[in-house]
Amino acid sequence: MNYDVAIIGAGVTGAFIARELSRYDLKACLLEKEADVAMGTTKANSAIVHAGYDAKHGTLKSKLNVRGNQMMERISRELDVPFKKTGSLVLAFSEHDLATIKDLYENGLKNGVPGLRLLNAEEVIRLEPNVNPNILGALYAPSAGIVCPYELAIGAVENAVDNGVDLKLECEVRDIRCTGDIFELITGKGAIRSNYVVNASGLQADIISSMVQETEFSIRPRKGEYLLMDKTMGNMVNTVIFQPPTRMGKGILVTPTVDGNLLTGPTAEDVDDRDDVSTSPSGMRRIMEEAKKLVPNLGFRDVITSFAGLRAAPDTGDFVIEASRKVKGFINAAGIESPGLTAAPAIGEYVLELLKEQGLALKPKDNFNPIRKSIVHFRDLNDNDRNELIRKNPMYGSIVCRCETVTEGEIVDSIRRPAGAKNLDAVKRRTRAGMGRCQGGFCTPRVVDILSRELGIPPEEVTKKGLGSNILLGKRG
Amino acid sequence: MLKVDLAVIGGGPAGLAAALEARKNGIENILIIEREKELGGILQQCIHNGFGLHYFGEELTGPEYAERFVEQVKKEGIAYKTSTMVLDIRPDRTITAVNSTDGLIKISAACIILAMGCRERTRGTLNIPGDRPAGIFTAGTAQRFVNMEGYMPGKKVVILGSGDIGLIMARRLTLEGAEVKMVCELLPYSGGLTRNIVQCLEDYNIPLRLSHTVVKIHGKDRLKGVTVAKVDSNRQPIKGTEEYVECDTLLLSVGLIPENELSRGAGIQIDPVTSGPVVDERMATSVEGIFACGNVVHVHDLVDNVTMESITAGRNAAKYILSCKDTRSVGRSIKTVPGHGVRYIVPQRISDLENIEELKLFFRTNDVYRNALVVVHFGQKTLYSAKRQKLAPGEMETVKLKSEALAELVCDTSCDELKVDIEL
Ligand SMILES: Cc1cc2nc3c(=O)[nH]c(=O)nc-3n(C[C@H](O)[C@H](O)[C@H](O)COP(=O)(O)OP(=O)(O)OC[C@H]3O[C@@H](n4cnc5c(N)ncnc54)[C@H](O)[C@@H]3O)c2cc1C
Ligand SMILES: Cc1cc2nc3c(=O)[nH]c(=O)nc-3n(C[C@H](O)[C@H](O)[C@H](O)COP(=O)(O)OP(=O)(O)OC[C@H]3O[C@@H](n4cnc5c(N)ncnc54)[C@H](O)[C@@H]3O)c2cc1C
């Protein structure tokens, strides 16, 4: 099979490029080395839809951030993924901080961020009664919000697959050959031929790019650790609370999540290993200290899990989204560090323009369907709808995850739908089964059972997150 | 809306014993609701011996112990719904439950007994740094895989925490051919029963490393190993004592905590130490007409005690249903206060002094004590004092107050605190 476009990497960047392409009459594939989409940086970040005041005016980052923010409301409706426009606050504790937020305010105005306001301490406390009373003021950005990052990517991929894109999981691109006008991608699952290639491989982007050309940028992984707190802490804050930014980045923040938990982090630490998402005692301590400066009453007894993500920090300081000047038809969507999640829908549009410039013929499909329906979440329904659902499908009456009230019906749907779940973590990201207080203690055996039944494999072959991560190591006795 | 006199939430040993006792005391319209396919609770996966020594005077396996109660419930014709999850309980005693055949079920109950048991603590609450591979289980989840589903969670095992389930699983996995490398316990003493340490570890030469913990998890896909280290008296890892242990499985047996979501939802006052409802000597909670018993109140190590406590709950629930007297407005009440060396006491208060016939205090100590006195003070008076050879946090202690002592509680109205102290 010869594809028109092959996209490498099914993170949020690749997902929106794929969805954009699926509007047109062409054959595209999305190649991902992991056993599910959104397994890279997309699954572990702050989940903020940034307003766009911090990216320096004039950069590609600033443009795509503001544009992505504007698009998010519509996108979240079309893809049926949770998005809350909470607004954000950058707190100032000193005169120096006040000057910093004033600069951010002015930069934001230039970037075209709507509704920015500098607030005095009283105004801040009125908005957020639990923040440190020692503040002097804050920058308020009403257009900031929160999303569920992996659900956003999953939604976009499901929609792309529904509209004809081929998703290939556990399909690592190991080399790329250019023969004439055609690229041949050597993958773990054989060779794939394509006229155009888009590199959206996140942390690997410089390596992939070097497969076809001399590459002028390099990616440095920078780790960010987080602590996630129980839902009982979820309403400590209503908006996203930032420290004033420093050279190292935006610092530790405190934010509600769309699911009602409280998230705090990230740290910022340069690392060498592009896969190292381990957490550390020092990181955890640092988060606790810094977060308490913002919201003094945080209770860390309520931490339910910790995790870390890697920023794909480019040495250019800006997103590297451009067509190769040397090899026709090869496009990098690289160095997508924060605010890459926010910008993703805009990056999709932007890459499409680049492909067009490179000569890709774009004929709109008449049957493109922009709508993706999310899994029905039993916990969010009223009594009538719940009963209706169970009558139609009794599996919705059987609760599998007690902490998050997830039914068997939802789990089966997550497995059967396009780009469906193939392992425990994939089910978890789609349904929240195993994400609650007991962290899967109760539902793991049950979900393993359902995966085994639905995928037609023995329970020993069910994995946590793909190849080599088997949950059970054989039969008893 | 389904109307019942008594709804029992949870069909484990606590719920079953409470329902049976209520029936014995004249309550006809009872409904037990259980989310598993079978009645019996956690005991169904505890296929080892060691249940019922105190209550039945013989050693039974978990399922055998449960079966005795399940049979009686069936014989008595007490109604039950299995595969049915209770989602919500309101303070006015309306219950929402769900299953596949009935859909949503709304129940209005004159009285409720909470018997939802407990759940295991997990890694997140402990925050062990490192990777997040497959191969990390709570001991109870592993137990379910092995005993109920017939699968091995792993072959080379390290167990963190010396709670009873972990100890039992050390033996179980060894018998199934796995290599259990060690049990690490953060504290300088074990959290489990002495009999389990002897029968599950020592008999199989499995080392118990006291004052040790897991400081790092290794392995991206499946667990490859853990780093363990010794801890100091502040439970902080000591630099230089780290040791890498190769393993494919880490079991967590780091404690149990009452299932308290429904209790909280019903507006019931929760004891921050036990994480279960505050109860009085009748097992009445702070909300009228709602009683609680078993692991949902505080974590027990012996099911026999669960049964006794649940009989109390069942009898008093029956009394409440027949008399319709508010469980809260009972005049004077006395608080039980954990004194020196005591972590918590259940019941937390004594409220029906007029009708009190016997009083048993369940408590746990906060450290290991040898040849110490357990003393119960009521104001200036000593109502109980007895020597115990060994007291340990892992073993629940009981004190039974005699009728003379109870008479003091009733007569001396100047005092409202009953204190338990450990004296050396
Ligand atoms: C700590 C932290 C906090 C952040 N907070 C925010 C925030 O609040 N708001 C915001 O807007 N942004 C935030 N970001 C940025 C945002 O998360 C990223 O910009 C975004 O997720 C990048 O998505 P991506 O698709 O480019 O990369 P990824 O999600 O990493 O996707 C790349 C994919 O490519 C795959 N891949 C790699 N190599 C190959 C290969 N050879 N063959 C096949 N597949 C391959 C990977 O497996 C991966 O799935 C944050 C980032 C971090 C790390
Ligand atoms: C793994 C393990 C090993 C043990 N080993 C021993 C031993 O060797 N010897 C000994 O004497 N004791 C032992 N014990 C202690 C003793 O067995 C328990 O204390 C006892 O089973 C507790 O009974 P329970 O009814 O309170 O809780 P459980 O047995 O846990 O029963 C609670 C029931 O409520 C149900 N439930 C919970 N929430 C809901 C809801 N929302 N809707 C419907 N149903 C619900 C649960 O499914 C469960 O069946 C052990 C305990 C455990 C956990």
Side-chain angles (χ1 to χ4, degrees):
Chain A
M1 167 111 184
N2 201 357
Y3 286 98
D4 295 303
V5 186
I7 306 153
I8 307 172
V12 72
T13 307
F16 275 96
I17 296 169
R19 178 173 188 254
E20 239 6 83
L21 281 167
S22 74
R23 295 173 187 276
Y24 301 93
D25 210 358
L26 50 82
K27 238 10 239 164
C29 62
L30 181 59
L31 312 178
E32 170 56 53
K33 69 176 163 71
E34 301 294 332
D36 192 14
V37 304
M39 289 285 280
T41 304
T42 298
K43 85 170 187 264
N45 53 60
S46 310
I48 313 296
V49 176
H50 289 289
Y53 49 77
D54 37 16
K56 197 163 159 256
H57 182 63
T59 57
L60 189 55
K61 235 187 217 176
S62 69
K63 211 173 86 187
L64 295 176
N65 181 349
V66 175
R67 171 79 185 135
N69 179 297
Q70 283 167 355
M71 292 171 76
M72 206 52 85
E73 200 128 32
R74 172 174 58 83
I75 295 280
S76 67
R77 233 180 303 116
E78 289 178 350
L79 299 180
D80 200 10
V81 298
F83 163 57
K84 280 189 200 145
K85 216 170 199 170
T86 54
S88 69
L89 290 169
V90 186
L91 304 186
F93 293 97
S94 65
E95 289 301 322
H96 179 261
D97 291 349
L98 283 174
T100 307
I101 63 170
K102 179 106 194 303
D103 288 346
L104 287 178
Y105 172 76
E106 273 154 17
N107 190 56
L109 289 186
K110 277 193 256 168
N111 288 349
V113 179
L116 282 179
R117 271 168 57 207
L118 289 165
L119 305 185
N120 64 30
E122 277 144 56
E123 291 171 308
V124 177
I125 298 288
R126 219 174 303 136
L127 264 177
E128 289 290 1
N130 289 323
V131 299
N132 190 337
N134 297 332
I135 45 158
L136 300 179
L139 171 63
Y140 177 55
S143 66
I146 52 179
V147 283
C148 176
Y150 40 84
E151 198 168 340
L152 182 66
I154 289 169
V157 173
E158 281 182 13
N159 188 231
V161 169
D162 238 357
N163 286 303
V165 171
D166 287 347
L167 170 69
K168 296 183 190 285
L169 296 173
E170 292 186 323
C171 182
E172 182 179 16
V173 175
R174 296 180 182 155
D175 199 6
I176 303 172
R177 292 180 198 145
C178 328
T179 42
D181 278 353
I182 300 251
F183 294 93
E184 196 178 39
L185 292 87
I186 313 300
T187 78
K189 289 193 168 160
I192 292 168
R193 290 158 66 82
S194 180
N195 297 335
Y196 294 83
V197 171
V198 180
N199 171 19
S201 61
L203 290 153
Q204 313 288 330
D206 51 349
I207 299 172
I208 295 275
S209 178
S210 310
M211 291 174 185
V212 294
Q213 62 184 347
E214 210 172 287
T215 296
E216 285 141 15
F217 62 91
S218 69
I219 301 287
R220 177 87 208 211
R222 184 177 297 155
K223 192 194 283 185
E225 296 180 37
Y226 290 92
L227 297 175
L228 185 76
M229 277 176 252
D230 195 272
K231 290 190 173 167
T232 50
M233 302 298 289
N235 36 29
M236 281 299 273
V237 298
N238 314 307
T239 56
V240 183
I241 311 284
F242 293 101
Q243 300 176 318
T246 64
R247 251 178 310 126
M248 274 308 273
K250 290 189 272 280
I252 306 282
L253 57 85
V254 177
T255 176
T257 70
V258 285
D259 300 301
N261 296 77
L262 193 79
L263 182 68
T264 166
T267 54
E269 180 203 355
D270 287 328
V271 293
D272 295 322
D273 185 349
R274 297 184 193 222
D275 288 324
D276 176 12
V277 285
S278 61
T279 51
S280 69
S282 58
M284 292 183 200
R285 259 195 314 275
R286 194 119 189 266
I287 298 171
M288 294 193 199
E289 280 164 19
E290 296 285 324
K292 271 184 177 294
K293 285 188 202 156
L294 301 176
V295 183
N297 290 334
L298 282 187
F300 286 98
R301 279 183 53 165
D302 294 294
V303 169
I304 56 175
T305 191
S306 61
F307 61 87
L310 291 173
R311 305 168 179 87
D315 56 358
T316 62
D318 199 359
F319 292 164
V320 183
I321 309 176
E322 59 194 18
S324 164
R325 269 156 295 186
K326 296 161 200 154
V327 185
K328 184 175 171 284
F330 184 85
I331 289 168
N332 274 322
I336 312 295
E337 54 178 349
S338 189
L341 180 65
T342 315
I347 295 175
E349 287 180 344
Y350 189 78
V351 167
L352 206 79
E353 283 307 310
L354 295 180
L355 282 165
K356 207 152 98 191
E357 282 167 21
Q358 291 286 301
L360 178 66
L362 294 174
K363 179 170 157 264
K365 263 182 207 160
D366 13 319
N367 59 350
F368 171 75
N369 176 13
I371 303 300
R372 169 257 183 187
K373 276 275 151 236
S374 136
I375 292 172
V376 177
H377 296 297
F378 181 85
R379 63 177 172 275
D380 299 335
L381 300 181
N382 64 31
D383 287 357
N384 279 338
D385 292 347
R386 286 178 172 185
N387 265 326
E388 185 68 14
L389 195 63
I390 300 168
R391 226 190 15 251
K392 279 196 209 133
N393 180 353
M395 281 199 275
Y396 284 95
S398 162
I399 307 283
V400 174
C401 165
R402 62 174 167 187
C403 303
E404 299 287 323
T405 319
V406 181
T407 63
E408 184 172 359
E410 290 157 83
I411 293 180
V412 168
D413 183 12
S414 79
I415 300 168
R416 291 188 187 165
R417 56 179 38 227
K422 302 211 161 28
N423 55 52
L424 201 67
D425 281 359
V427 167
K428 169 164 132 179
R429 276 192 295 277
R430 286 166 177 77
T431 64
R432 289 187 64 76
M435 282 207 183
R437 310 185 168 85
C438 93
Q439 291 284 298
F442 180 77
C443 66
T444 298
R446 292 160 176 83
V447 178
V448 168
D449 239 25
I450 298 171
L451 275 164
S452 151
R453 183 187 77 208
E454 291 293 317
L455 300 176
I457 54 174
E460 307 98 286
E461 283 176 28
V462 174
T463 67
K464 178 168 156 58
K465 49 186 174 185
L467 225 56
S469 66
N470 299 50
I471 292 156
L472 300 168
L473 299 184
K475 275 209 169 67
R476 186 182 77 200
Chain B
M1 183 86 86
L2 187 61
K3 275 199 165 21
V4 299
D5 288 333
L6 175 62
V8 177
I9 320 297
L16 297 175
L20 281 166
E21 188 65 19
R23 170 59 58 86
K24 220 186 260 172
N25 285 270
I27 307 303
E28 281 305 316
N29 187 1
I30 303 176
L31 176 64
I32 303 172
I33 308 172
E34 167 57 51
R35 66 184 172 201
E36 296 287 339
K37 286 196 205 85
E38 309 280 343
L39 293 175
I42 198 75
L43 293 181
Q44 295 293 13
Q45 68 180 56
C46 304
I47 61 169
H48 55 281
N49 264 323
F51 297 84
L53 267 175
H54 301 262
Y55 188 69
F56 288 116
E58 53 181 317
E59 266 216 326
L60 304 172
T61 66
E64 282 167 358
Y65 188 96
E67 201 45 40
R68 297 209 171 175
F69 291 89
V70 175
E71 261 167 32
Q72 275 192 55
V73 162
K74 290 185 178 161
K75 210 171 87 206
E76 288 289 329
I78 296 175
Y80 60 87
K81 280 184 187 293
T82 49
S83 299
T84 305
M85 176 79 93
V86 173
L87 297 175
D88 183 49
I89 300 174
R90 304 274 86 208
D92 68 358
R93 279 167 272 129
T94 51
I95 299 167
T96 309
V98 66
N99 68 27
S100 303
T101 37
D102 305 319
L104 280 189
I105 310 162
K106 295 273 180 187
I107 301 160
S108 165
C111 178
I112 294 176
I113 296 180
L114 304 175
M116 291 90 73
C118 58
R119 62 182 152 86
E120 297 180 277
R121 290 183 61 193
T122 58
R123 178 182 170 211
T125 42
L126 295 157
N127 281 313
I128 308 170
D131 298 318
R132 280 161 294 278
I136 304 172
F137 303 85
T138 57
T141 305
Q143 187 178 44
R144 189 186 164 104
F145 270 127
V146 179
N147 292 348
M148 314 269 288
E149 329 255 338
Y151 288 96
M152 288 296 278
K155 304 265 162 77
K156 287 184 209 158
V157 186
V158 168
I159 299 176
L160 174 58
S162 58
D164 287 311
I165 318 172
L167 300 177
I168 301 247
M169 283 310 289
R171 173 175 65 187
R172 184 84 184 99
L173 288 168
T174 306
L175 291 173
E176 289 297 339
E179 182 193 354
V180 178
K181 300 212 158 171
M182 63 176 70
V183 175
C184 292
E185 169 58 58
L186 183 69
L187 300 174
Y189 49 81
S190 159
L193 296 171
T194 310
R195 89 167 183 224
N196 283 337
I197 305 226
V198 175
Q199 295 172 7
C200 300
L201 298 188
E202 291 174 7
D203 288 359
Y204 296 87
N205 294 320
I206 299 168
L208 171 62
R209 299 272 195 95
L210 297 175
S211 299
H212 273 73
T213 191
V214 171
V215 293
K216 189 153 188 183
I217 287 170
H218 306 266
K220 273 169 188 158
D221 300 319
R222 176 81 197 193
L223 186 67
K224 290 204 166 67
V226 295
T227 305
V228 303
K230 205 169 156 49
V231 296
D232 61 22
S233 53
N234 296 320
R235 301 181 195 174
Q236 292 304 312
I238 303 170
K239 273 230 156 60
T241 64
E242 295 90 355
E243 177 192 346
Y244 180 80
V245 183
E246 190 203 336
C247 60
D248 57 30
T249 305
L250 176 65
L251 293 195
L252 303 174
S253 181
V254 290
L256 301 163
I257 170 170
E259 285 276 13
N260 58 24
E261 281 71 41
L262 292 177
S263 314
R264 277 185 207 279
I268 290 170
Q269 187 192 349
I270 302 288
D271 180 333
V273 180
T274 58
S275 296
V278 168
V279 290
D280 67 12
E281 79 289 358
R282 302 163 302 174
M283 304 309 291
T285 69
S286 65
V287 173
E288 194 202 332
I290 304 187
F291 294 75
C293 55
N295 280 353
V296 83
V297 177
H298 59 136
V299 176
H300 295 69
D301 19 71
L302 291 178
V303 69
D304 310 69
N305 287 331
V306 170
T307 302
M308 301 303 293
E309 189 180 282
S310 307
I311 288 172
T312 304
R315 191 172 54 242
N316 285 295
K319 230 188 226 173
Y320 167 77
I321 297 166
L322 297 174
S323 72
C324 282
K325 216 168 96 194
D326 189 334
T327 42
R328 293 163 309 169
S329 53
V330 278
R332 182 176 153 242
S333 82
I334 294 172
K335 250 172 56 186
T336 60
V337 181
H340 175 261
V342 178
R343 201 161 80 83
Y344 73 76
I345 304 169
V346 168
Q348 289 87 344
R349 59 192 162 84
I350 301 152
S351 44
D352 193 13
L353 285 159
E354 281 158 45
N355 295 306
I356 198 158
E357 281 156 20
E358 60 157 41
L359 181 61
K360 237 187 196 170
L361 302 176
F362 293 95
F363 69 92
R364 281 183 197 271
T365 57
N366 56 18
D367 206 341
V368 179
Y369 299 95
R370 283 175 208 281
N371 297 319
L373 279 178
V374 174
V375 187
V376 179
H377 296 287
F378 186 56
Q380 302 302 320
K381 300 191 190 79
T382 299
L383 299 190
Y384 175 99
S385 173
K387 192 159 212 139
R388 306 269 164 111
Q389 265 195 343
K390 188 185 168 197
L391 295 158
E395 318 224 0
M396 195 161 72
E397 296 293 330
T398 53
V399 160
K400 199 169 159 189
L401 291 186
K402 297 227 175 70
S403 45
E404 306 90 81
L406 295 180
E408 287 286 350
L409 294 184
V410 178
C411 297
D412 187 352
T413 53
S414 67
C415 183
D416 57 4
E417 282 192 359
L418 189 66
K419 196 155 145 244
V420 180
D421 286 294
I422 308 299
E423 294 176 3
L424 300 171

